[in-house]
Amino acid sequence: MNSLPLYLAVSVILFVLGLLAMMTRRNAVSVLMGIELILNSAGLNFVAFSRFTAHNLEGQSAAIFVIIVAAAEAAVALAIFLNLYRLKATTEVDKANLLEG
């Protein structure tokens, strides 16, 4: 794999799969997995553009930042969904209306 368009194609596939998972799934864990796929596609783009165009480590640094943000997001979201499951005994995101006014 030594061409930028191949990396971009893989990134687009990851992004589309993540977007489809977010839009079609009702389970909270599946939605989180879709978000992770989208963030991974962004990280792949950062690394690919850094390698093929800039030849520096800024893309890798941005990818590490994206991974850290994704881990923090997953931890907070899982805590929220665990509390939701404790209260409503479901993990469907459609039934998460506790914060509505």
Side-chain angles (χ1 to χ4, degrees), residues 48-90:
F49 277 110
S50 173
R51 179 174 181 225
F52 288 104
T53 59
H55 301 291
N56 57 22
L57 293 178
E58 291 177 1
Q60 283 87 350
S61 302
I64 289 173
F65 180 73
V66 168
I67 291 170
I68 291 170
V69 168
E73 169 261 332
V76 170
L78 284 175
I80 290 171
F81 288 126
L82 280 175
N83 280 328
L84 176 71
Y85 183 76
R86 187 181 307 159
L87 291 175
K88 293 205 166 196
T90 184

Side-chain angles (χ1 to χ4, degrees), residues 1-14 41 44-45 48-49 51-52:
M1 292 181 47
N2 285 331
S3 66
L4 182 60
L6 189 57
Y7 284 103
L8 295 180
V10 171
S11 177
V12 166
I13 291 169
L14 284 176
S41 72
L44 181 62
N45 274 341
F49 277 110
R51 179 174 181 225
F52 288 104

Side-chain angles (χ1 to χ4, degrees), residues 12-69:
V12 166
I13 291 169
L14 284 176
F15 182 81
V16 169
L17 288 175
L19 194 62
L20 285 175
M22 280 181 50
M23 292 173 57
T24 59
R25 300 292 179 167
R26 299 290 174 242
N27 189 342
V29 176
S30 298
V31 172
L32 285 176
M33 289 172 58
I35 292 171
E36 294 295 324
L37 283 177
I38 290 172
L39 291 174
N40 284 334
S41 72
L44 181 62
N45 274 341
F46 280 127
V47 172
F49 277 110
S50 173
R51 179 174 181 225
F52 288 104
T53 59
H55 301 291
N56 57 22
L57 293 178
E58 291 177 1
Q60 283 87 350
S61 302
I64 289 173
F65 180 73
V66 168
I67 291 170
I68 291 170
V69 168

